[in-house]
Amino acid sequence: MKKNFIIYLLPLLFFSQSITNAYGENVSKIIDWSKKKTWTLTSPPRDFAASFDKKKIFILEEDNKVRVYENSYNGNRLGIINVPPNTVAIDIAPRGGMLYLVGSDKTYTAIEIVYRKKDNSIADWSKKYTWKTETRPLDIAMSFDKKYAFILESDNRIHVYTINGKRRATVPVAPGTFALTVPSRKRTLCLLNRNAQYTFIQLRLR
């Protein structure tokens, strides 16, 4: 992976009602974009997550640390959290108060983070929950209300757990699925697989 971390600003959206050919594909909407920030990381990245308010960027790096950066032009570092070497994916609470990890040893960990008020840097962090998944995790997404963990596992299923590890449901997915996300405030799953397919799943959880 590249060590340069790039964030793209999409401030202007121009919509066209007619179908336009772009990059050899027919598209009905054209998005105008420009590069806003770029900075160099300490170590190559494995995964990342951005806070809902867009103020913090969490990056899992190959030296087994999650570095928390301010979403600024110079990427000011707010703190470092040491994680196990088998960590494969991360997610965070909407404002960055919790960090969620899954590891290849079938371990889920939730870490609570405390920030200093004066500069928003990390003052302290501690493990709040840890438990075992059913099979080896590939990716994780937390619900916006922090009640459920959606974990894509190696058995071609998404396992839905409560925050304390009680399994609530399983959702079969296509072989080759490697990434998932839960759009903000919605009980839906968005999936990508290696067969160039995007899948949208509506969930019914109480």
Side-chain angles (χ1 to χ4, degrees):
M1 294 183 181
K2 295 181 179 178
K3 292 179 69 175
N4 286 340
F5 180 70
I6 301 174
I7 300 175
Y8 292 102
L9 175 68
L10 306 176
L12 302 175
L13 301 180
F14 296 97
F15 298 96
S16 171
Q17 298 300 321
S18 61
I19 295 178
T20 306
N21 186 276
Y23 300 102
E25 300 179 12
N26 289 328
V27 294
S28 59
K29 297 180 180 179
I30 301 298
I31 301 175
D32 186 36
W33 59 272
S34 61
K35 185 169 69 175
K36 184 179 180 182
K37 313 178 183 82
T38 180
W39 66 79
T40 300
L41 305 179
T42 304
S43 181
R46 292 181 190 163
D47 199 8
F48 86 104
S51 62
F52 184 71
D53 59 11
K54 301 179 178 64
K55 291 182 178 180
K56 301 180 186 74
I57 307 294
F58 291 68
I59 304 179
L60 171 63
E61 300 184 16
E62 286 190 356
D63 59 356
N64 305 318
K65 299 179 187 297
V66 172
R67 290 182 171 86
V68 184
Y69 298 88
E70 182 182 35
N71 191 8
S72 60
Y73 283 96
N74 60 359
N76 180 44
R77 194 163 65 200
L78 301 176
I80 300 174
I81 298 172
N82 296 318
V83 299
N86 48 30
T87 301
V88 296
I90 66 171
D91 198 9
I92 60 172
R95 296 190 179 277
M98 295 288 294
L99 170 65
Y100 309 101
L101 318 170
V102 287
S104 57
D105 62 346
K106 303 195 295 185
T107 299
Y108 166 98
T109 305
I111 295 173
E112 188 171 36
I113 304 171
V114 178
Y115 297 92
R116 296 182 179 89
K117 290 185 178 180
K118 67 174 184 177
D119 60 4
N120 222 21
S121 63
I122 293 178
D124 195 13
W125 57 272
S126 60
K127 292 181 182 179
K128 191 169 183 181
Y129 300 103
T130 184
W131 38 264
K132 290 292 185 179
T133 60
E134 287 292 314
T135 60
R136 180 172 53 86
L138 304 177
D139 200 7
I140 179 174
M142 295 295 299
S143 63
F144 191 84
D145 59 12
K146 300 179 284 186
K147 291 182 178 180
Y148 298 104
F150 300 88
I151 301 180
L152 172 63
E153 301 186 19
S154 57
D155 59 354
N156 297 320
R157 295 176 182 272
I158 293 171
H159 295 254
V160 184
Y161 301 89
T162 62
I163 188 67
N164 60 3
K166 182 179 179 181
R167 193 171 62 174
R168 289 291 306 275
T170 59
V171 181
V173 297
T177 299
F178 68 93
L180 80 159
T181 188
V182 179
S184 300
R185 301 181 187 276
K186 296 184 183 295
R187 290 289 170 84
T188 56
L189 286 175
C190 300
L191 313 172
L192 290 176
N193 69 41
R194 301 192 188 280
N195 297 318
Q197 293 177 327
Y198 167 89
T199 304
F200 178 90
I201 298 175
Q202 184 72 47
L203 298 174
R204 291 177 176 85
L205 292 172
R206 295 182 180 179

